[in-house]
Amino acid sequence: MKALSAAYAVLFFYLAALSPLSLYAAASPDVAGATSPLPSLAPMLEKTTPGVVNIATRGTVRLKSSPLFEDPFFRHFFDMPQRPLERRTQSLGSGVIVDAEEGYILTNYHVIASADEIAVTLNDGRQLTAKVVGSDPDADVAVIQVEAEDLTAVPWGNSDQLRVGDFVVAIGNPFGLGQTVTSGIVSALGRSGLGIEAYEDFIQTDASINPGNSGGALVDLNGRLIGINTAIIGPAGGNIGIGFAIPANMARQIMNQLIKHGEVRRGQLGIVIQDLNPELAKAFGLEMQRGGVVISRVESGSAAAEAGLKPGDIITEVNGQKIKNSADIRNVIGLQRIGQVVNMTVIRDGKKRTVKAVIAEPKLTVFKGEELHPRLEGAQLGAADVVLKQDDARGLLVMEIEPYSPAAASGLRQGDIITSINRQSISNLEEARRAIKNGGRGVLLNIQRGNAALFMVLQ
């Protein structure tokens, strides 16, 4: 027993010599006179922070007012200004230099939205004027450009290789204080369904992200860009350790389209889908199936119809990427350009098969009412499922309506959904035109207004 105790004592002293406290003591010149440097992120940050910039914008937004105030006669009678009411806006945010030669800076769309002037402040104090190259509001990504020499770009990382628990560093301009660095870990991956953006595949992190950090860099410990800081969840607008960043790979794909085309032209397959839950999987005889989406409707004449997809098909992979839920396939398809071919793994009748589809031009989703009928002049209509981003919304949504227009005089209101024309269900302009053509002189509209429904006749 004594010999065993002595062995434990030796082991204890050996482990104690290797403890973090002893390492700190050995490295601290105050304790042991050693000069070994302590672990630090400073060397990495010295190379990375020059690539993160502060962005300040000024803009003008039009204020909403009563339709009565929009009437020129009313404004003239009461001697009101003829110009629409406007408000000057200012915002602060961050950006990441991703191409030093061309001066391209990646940021969030909401940082530069409605901006008339964009001022960029570099880490060395230089102030530059930027122009917008392109923006994608649906993914909250924008590219701006400055003309300057001796810029420093942040190198790209591979966000697809991230794992929960990886250390990350957030760099930005919170509350306009100036460049600030915070650290944390990757808390979760593939966050979606938050309702923040139309296309969501967020990296969640507990690195402190606050207002003003938007558009800033999320980097790994090698200083490689793995995300664009975008949003937080905070009851009072402050950080509580739940922040979200757009994955770098997703942002890079969008950026390339914005630089090349100035916009992101998203195509569509033409399907309505729902998540594959355990009950549906069992009903389809797939008790062990995990993940995937079920096609509940295929639009006639769509890319999906041309590819041979059918209701009841279960999509499990797109271009080799596993599909866990409807948000996954929405993001994958949304990043494809019109004309690109996608390979899908589909389960039909319990058997796997590969289906190829060509991403098609989306059907016209927003148009003027007079394109459909003279009595609808003054209304702006849109496909309800696309505008409201709800697959189960069917019909044409009245997005805007001009006061005293024929559409307003007909009784239409903003927010109405035309669900059928001449008793034929409609979901887009083509279907609406066919329904009107087949209905003779009178046009019977079925309107959904909130929780109520009513019929309306156009002569």
Side-chain angles (χ1 to χ4, degrees), residues 8-205:
Y8 275 120
V10 171
L11 180 61
F12 172 78
F13 284 114
Y14 176 73
L15 292 175
L18 295 178
S19 70
L21 183 60
S22 65
L23 287 174
Y24 175 81
S28 173
D30 294 335
V31 177
T35 57
S36 300
L38 292 171
S40 174
L41 295 174
M44 178 274 286
L45 292 171
E46 288 171 357
K47 298 179 180 179
T48 305
T49 51
V52 182
V53 303
N54 297 342
I55 299 176
T57 68
R58 291 183 179 181
T60 304
V61 296
R62 184 173 177 177
L63 299 178
K64 292 184 178 181
S65 60
S66 168
L68 188 61
F69 295 149
E70 301 294 330
D71 182 10
F73 175 79
F74 183 91
R75 301 177 72 89
H76 176 75
F77 184 81
F78 287 97
D79 195 25
M80 297 178 65
Q82 294 302 310
R83 296 177 57 188
L85 297 176
E86 296 178 339
R87 177 172 60 88
R88 295 288 293 173
T89 63
Q90 294 182 348
S91 71
L92 295 172
S94 308
V96 185
I97 301 174
V98 291
D99 188 327
E101 291 185 3
E102 298 295 333
Y104 290 133
I105 297 173
L106 194 61
T107 186
N108 286 137
Y109 166 74
H110 74 260
V111 171
I112 56 91
S114 304
D116 298 324
E117 303 173 16
I118 303 175
V120 170
T121 303
L122 304 182
N123 185 245
D124 60 13
R126 284 183 289 171
Q127 292 187 348
L128 308 169
T129 299
K131 66 177 182 180
V132 177
V133 175
S135 60
D136 180 18
D138 287 340
D140 199 13
V141 173
V143 178
I144 60 177
Q145 187 178 28
V146 295
E147 294 184 5
E149 297 180 352
D150 300 323
L151 296 177
T152 300
V154 179
W156 289 99
N158 187 351
S159 57
D160 290 342
Q161 295 180 350
L162 283 177
R163 298 176 301 171
V164 174
D166 285 350
F167 288 103
V168 292
V169 176
I171 310 172
N173 177 32
F175 299 107
L177 291 172
Q179 196 171 85
T180 300
V181 177
T182 57
S183 64
I185 64 169
V186 173
S187 305
L189 294 168
R191 288 293 195 211
S192 60
L194 304 176
I196 300 173
E197 313 296 347
Y199 294 91
E200 298 179 339
D201 187 25
F202 290 122
I203 301 167
Q204 182 181 326
T205 178

Side-chain angles (χ1 to χ4, degrees), residues 268-282:
Q268 61 180 207
L269 281 176
I271 56 176
V272 176
I273 56 176
Q274 61 187 105
D275 293 345
L276 182 67
N277 56 37
E279 291 77 14
L280 282 174
K282 187 175 181 179

Side-chain angles (χ1 to χ4, degrees), residues 370 374-380 400-412:
E370 53 264 36
R375 293 296 299 165
L376 294 178
E377 182 182 351
Q380 186 179 50
E400 294 181 9
I401 193 161
E402 296 178 8
Y404 308 106
S405 65
S410 297
L412 279 181

